[in-house]
Amino acid sequence: MTDKASGSTLPAPVQRTAALGASHVAGVLAFPGLGTLLLLNDVPPEQIYPMLGISGAIGVVVVLAASGGRRVLTALAVLLRAGQ
């Protein structure tokens, strides 16, 4: 690909695909499955819900940090500034 104004060669744009992989499906199925197993093993719901919530929050933080946390933090900073 050539830039018409300068005549220089530009790299080809990278195509990104948003595929639903096994890791996405496993994450969605893991929490209800774990909650069901804990409930069947006589763990009270008062202990199950916070544990699953904290585990989910940790997972979200890890995914955001690994997949472009810089953009998320920038967007969060813009929202916080807009609210002031």
Side-chain angles (χ1 to χ4, degrees), residues 15-69:
Q15 296 276 335
R16 291 190 181 196
T17 59
L20 183 66
S23 60
H24 297 99
V25 175
V28 170
L29 296 178
F31 286 100
L34 181 59
T36 302
L37 289 174
L38 290 171
L39 191 62
L40 291 175
N41 286 314
D42 297 326
V43 177
E46 295 82 22
Q47 292 178 357
I48 295 173
Y49 297 137
M51 181 175 46
L52 292 178
I54 292 169
S55 299
I58 291 170
V60 167
V61 169
V62 168
V63 168
L64 288 177
S67 66

Side-chain angles (χ1 to χ4, degrees), residues 10 12 18 20-22 28 34-35 56 66 68 73-75 84:
L10 301 174
L20 183 66
V28 170
L34 181 59
L73 290 176
T74 303
Q84 290 181 354

